[in-house]
Structure formats: C-alpha cells, structure tokens
Amino acid sequence: MVELGGKTRLVSYLQKIRNNDNYQRCRTRRRYPPRILIVVLLVLWLPALEIPGVLACGPGRGGGRRPILRKLTPLVFKQHVPNVSENTLPASGLPEGRVSRDHTRFRDLVPNYNADIIFKDEEGTGADRLMTQRCKEKLNTLAISVMNQWPGVKLRVTEGWDEEGKHATDSLHYEGRAVDVTTSDRDRSKYGMLARLAVEAGFDWVYYESRSHIHCSVKSESSSVGKSGGCFPGSSSVLTPSGPKLLSSLGVGEAIASLDSAGEIVFSEVIAFLDYAPSSKRQFIRLSTSSGRQLTLTPSHLVPTEPKDLKTPSSIIYAAKVQVGDRILVRDDDRTLPGGSRVRWDDVIEAELVLEEGVYAPLTREGTIVVDDVVASCYAIVNSQTIAQVGFFPLRLLSTITDGLQSVKDFFWHSHGGQDITTNEIQGSKSMNSRWRQPEGLHWYANFLYSISTYVLPSSMLY
Ligand SMILES: [Ca+2]
C-alpha cells in the first residue's frame, strides 16, 4: 500500500487523470471567465433589484399571521379546515412517532405557561402544557383572538401532549403537535367560531371534532415551512462515473450525473452539501412515474416539469405542486449517445408523503442533480432556478479557487518527483472525501442566504 506522503500524491495524480480524460463516458463541466463576469455583475446588481439568494434546508420563516379583515364564518360540526385529512401535506402531515419522556424528541416539547390560557390538567402531570414550539406559537395567538372576540372569556386547553395513550393510534397528541380546546365558559355555542379563530391563528388543521371541544394540530418542527428545504433521503442514489452510489455515502469532490443548461446529462462536481444530517428523520414527497421511477424529496424542492403550453420555455416548480398527470424528466441508459444517457418526460402517477431517514442536499456545479434516475434541481425555497444559481455563485467561485490552489500544490508535488504511483480510483475518491469531511447540519452559506432572502425577496417567490 501507499504510505502517507504517497497518498497525497495519489490524490493529485488522480485529479490530473480526471482533468485529462474527463471520464471518457461523460464530461465534467466547469465554467470559466465570460459567464463568471456576467454573474459577478448580476450579483452586484442584486441588492438594487432586491432579488438575492435561495435556500437549502433552512430554519423556517416565521408563520406570519393573516390580518382578519373579512367577516369570519364559524365552522360547522364535523367540519375541518383545510378540507383534506389531517396527515396530508396541505394539513399537518404525517405522524412521526410517539414521544415519551425518555425519548430524544421529548426535548423538542416546550411547556406553555401563558397566563391567558387555562389548562385543564386533569392528569395532574402538566402534560397538557407540553407542546411543540409551533403548536405553542399558534395557541398563544389563538388565546389573544379569544379574548378579543369575547371579552372576559379565555382559551381553555383540555388536552395537549398525551403520554398515557388515550387517543387513537398515530394521534398527533402523542407528539405534542395537537391540542383540544374550548372556551373558559364552556359555552358550546361559541365553539364553531372558536374553530374559525384557530384557523386564523395559523393551526395547520382545525377540526370541529366533538360537541365538547375543537381539535387543532400543526406540522412537525422539521417539516414546517422553510425548515425542510431541498433535501433527499439517504436511501436515494445518484450516478457517478463508476456507477450508482447511495447519497448517504457520497462525498464532496465527487462527480455525479446532472443536467446541463443544454439539456444533456453530464457529470458535475459536488461542491458542497447544503444540508447534511444522516440521522435526521423528515417528511418527503415521493413522486412515482409510469416507468417505475421514484423521486423522493422535500416539498419545497424545485423539480423541472414539462411546460403546460408552448409559451413557457421551462417550468420548474416545487415538488409539493407536482400533481398526478404532470410530467417529470427521467434518465435512460443510451450507449449510442456520447454521454451514455438520454432524458425524456415521464408521467407522474402517484404523489405521496413518506417519512424517511437521512437528509442530504448535495450542490453540484450545474445546480441540478439526477437522483434515482429523475432530474431535480439542487435548490429549494425560492421558486427560480436562475436566481438560485446566481445566489450560490460565490460558493461555486470559492470552490473553483480552492481547486485552483490544490492544482498549484499538486504541480509542486509532481515537480519534486513521485511519478511512480499506481493504485485504483476507489482509494483516490476515499482520500478526497476525507479531505472534505462535511460537518453535520445546514451549510453556513445556505443559512446566510436564508437570513437575507426572507427580508428582501417578495413572499410570492418563497415557499
Ligand atoms: Ca388533559
């Protein structure tokens, strides 16, 4: 085997090979000067145009309260808003598993000591006061609405987090994501309006469940708006020059199949992971196509779809907006083509919400990625691939500079001898990965772009 000094030389040697033959089967694209100049100008212009960046998986935008201007209609008995079932994407989403006091997710539950809310706490354990942060925020908003609507009346919580298993299987009460509420005077004629106020307060699903209470629930902390950006689960695979590879074992510096601006499949370098959380669980959308492909990604992720009319040149939309009958781009092997691949449109036949482990958001130089043989964008949250690509330009530039410095270093290594390196590519890519070990969590640059985009981008452009 090669000793330590040899390893570094081996890496540079492999990089040299990469640069020379470009993997033969597919090209690794890098873009230099004229385009860079244009983008630099664009970046400088952005503050003036008020359109900066984009996000990957990032912390959530605060759920703004809708101003109550119109006349409020009370809900009727057994009505729920939105008019879909509780565990769907437009409502509160999937249950993520029961939380007990010794569970790691128990730390996510916060006690609510709001003096304007009466907690029944018939259990005497304080469990009714425990809820997720999102649930607490919506509940506190509702408490104010109740006092405004009926002076002298307060909001009353009869059930919060349930650790005793008194609810139906998979109830969101077990995760602190649901509350059952009444008014303090227990005047049942008020409950229809109480439910409407809960909808206005921002609960993700409100149900006039029983004559004696209103059930309100929220999305999980990890899936609430903005917290879940452009990620894929670890079980998804990407295509590298040496074959398919699970996202969970992919590293920065490796080349993976992506779609270039000319619509060709090329191998593009992974320059960063915008989010990297192998042990996190998250809710993903799984799009299945008629030829059996499955793309699993977070709802706010951008996906190219076939334009509905000829006027639109391209149509890149949030995964959450993709419907059955829409067409997405899939990759087929085609040895007759120089790249060995071709792309075609394929019908989406099912879109379902699934809970999966591992959160990975690789950013390629091209800004696109082929995952499980389906084309997706590397971006999320902001509904423009172009703005996203511009927003992440500095990160690509940084990566180019780093690569450049590495090449200079390699040059000196080689001019000091060491041409007798013989080994295989697998060892090489391993060394490259360890050189770029990714810290867990959101990438600092994605986080930075997030914090500015909330202030400067129009909300219509954000997920
Ligand atoms: Ca209770």
Side-chain angles (χ1 to χ4, degrees):
M1 289 308 292
V2 222
E3 75 275 24
L4 209 66
K7 251 185 192 166
T8 325
R9 264 174 283 158
L10 156 75
V11 174
S12 20
Y13 175 74
L14 282 167
Q15 277 181 339
K16 212 173 167 187
I17 293 177
R18 282 172 156 215
N19 294 341
N20 286 345
D21 74 9
N22 283 339
Y23 303 118
Q24 294 171 349
R25 277 196 301 142
C26 280
R27 289 161 296 138
T28 302
R29 287 231 171 148
R30 290 192 183 182
R31 287 173 177 159
Y32 293 114
R35 195 165 294 213
I36 284 183
L37 196 67
I38 297 168
V39 181
V40 166
L41 287 173
L42 265 173
V43 167
L44 294 175
W45 268 64
L46 283 177
L49 294 173
E50 292 205 337
I51 42 168
V54 73
L55 290 189
C57 295
R61 294 187 288 131
R65 219 193 317 163
R66 284 158 284 185
I68 302 174
L69 297 170
R70 61 186 186 282
K71 193 172 178 290
L72 298 175
T73 336
L75 267 66
V76 296
F77 183 55
K78 291 293 174 189
Q79 184 186 354
H80 47 76
V81 176
N83 193 19
V84 289
S85 64
E86 185 176 27
N87 298 136
T88 58
L89 183 65
S92 295
L94 294 174
E96 295 188 357
R98 243 172 117 152
V99 177
S100 56
R101 283 187 194 264
D102 53 3
H103 198 282
T104 46
R105 280 166 62 216
F106 182 69
R107 281 174 302 187
D108 295 340
L109 301 186
V110 285
N112 192 329
Y113 291 116
N114 189 334
D116 294 329
I117 304 173
I118 293 161
F119 289 88
K120 189 177 177 191
D121 194 24
E122 78 281 18
E123 300 87 0
T125 58
D128 283 346
R129 289 185 186 271
L130 288 172
M131 55 197 71
T132 62
Q133 184 60 36
R134 184 175 177 84
C135 191
K136 183 178 174 179
E137 284 164 15
K138 307 304 177 194
L139 194 69
N140 289 346
T141 304
L142 178 59
I144 296 167
S145 310
V146 166
M147 291 188 295
N148 288 339
Q149 182 76 21
W150 303 289
V153 174
K154 281 183 176 181
L155 175 65
R156 175 172 169 264
V157 173
T158 59
E159 281 295 282
W161 173 58
D162 176 10
E163 58 180 323
E164 295 167 5
K166 288 184 290 188
H167 292 84
T169 324
D170 290 340
S171 163
L172 298 182
H173 282 290
Y174 300 139
E175 302 174 38
R177 287 165 57 191
V179 282
D180 290 342
V181 297
T182 72
T183 50
S184 57
D185 58 3
R186 291 184 235 174
D187 173 2
R188 294 183 175 194
S189 68
K190 291 191 173 81
Y191 293 177
M193 183 53 85
L194 175 65
R196 175 56 64 187
L197 294 177
V199 172
E200 296 298 323
F203 277 100
D204 297 307
W205 198 70
V206 177
Y207 183 30
Y208 197 157
E209 185 173 31
S210 128
R211 293 278 181 207
S212 59
H213 70 261
I214 302 298
H215 173 88
C216 313
S217 64
V218 293
K219 292 179 191 295
S220 72
E221 290 301 291
S222 65
S223 72
S224 50
V225 177
K227 281 191 176 157
S228 169
C231 316
F232 305 94
S235 56
S236 291
S237 78
V238 288
L239 186 65
T240 71
S242 52
K245 191 168 197 176
L246 286 180
L247 266 183
S248 52
S249 57
L250 183 74
V252 171
E254 291 188 75
I256 56 170
S258 60
L259 191 75
D260 71 2
S261 49
E264 273 184 77
I265 298 281
V266 294
F267 284 117
S268 184
E269 184 194 352
V270 175
I271 56 172
F273 275 87
L274 299 180
D275 203 348
Y276 188 88
S279 53
S280 284
K281 263 193 181 170
R282 211 160 283 185
Q283 294 185 30
F284 295 90
I285 287 185
R286 179 166 292 154
L287 302 172
S288 306
T289 73
S290 55
S291 65
R293 311 301 165 86
Q294 287 193 322
L295 175 66
T296 310
L297 74 183
T298 42
S300 62
H301 208 118
L302 295 176
V303 184
T305 55
E306 189 179 45
K308 294 269 192 260
D309 53 76
L310 294 170
K311 277 177 272 176
T312 336
S314 75
S315 153
I316 301 189
I317 61 175
Y318 294 125
K321 303 268 184 215
V322 178
Q323 293 173 340
V324 170
D326 284 347
R327 308 185 87 201
I328 56 177
L329 273 180
V330 297
R331 189 200 73 91
D332 286 322
D333 281 326
D334 189 341
R335 297 283 160 219
T336 62
L337 292 174
S341 302
R342 66 185 177 95
V343 288
R344 63 176 170 88
W345 295 111
D346 198 4
D347 293 318
V348 173
I349 54 165
E350 191 181 17
E352 56 178 335
L353 205 54
V354 293
L355 193 64
E356 288 271 340
E357 192 161 319
V359 165
Y360 300 87
L363 172 64
T364 63
R365 228 166 248 286
E366 289 292 342
T368 58
I369 178 171
V370 177
V371 174
D372 293 325
D373 284 336
V374 184
V375 178
S377 164
C378 289
Y379 305 119
I381 307 287
V382 171
N383 66 359
S384 162
Q385 177 78 13
T386 316
I387 289 180
Q389 190 71 342
V390 171
F392 276 99
F393 164 72
L395 201 57
R396 290 199 300 282
L397 183 67
L398 189 69
S399 162
T400 307
I401 293 169
T402 318
D403 285 1
L405 289 176
Q406 185 64 35
S407 310
V408 172
K409 206 170 135 198
D410 295 348
F411 174 78
F412 285 108
W413 261 111
H414 285 285
S415 49
H416 285 81
Q419 297 296 317
D420 56 336
I421 304 148
T422 48
T423 186
N424 59 55
E425 192 167 348
I426 299 159
Q427 283 175 320
S429 55
K430 265 185 191 162
S431 328
M432 282 192 68
N433 292 351
S434 53
R435 185 159 60 92
W436 287 105
R437 193 158 297 285
Q438 174 83 20
E440 185 144 334
L442 189 73
H443 192 282
W444 66 269
Y445 187 76
N447 200 17
F448 160 73
L449 275 189
Y450 157 70
S451 39
I452 55 171
S453 68
T454 327
Y455 294 104
V456 288
L457 278 177
S459 60
S460 60
M461 289 196 70
L462 297 166
Y463 180 76

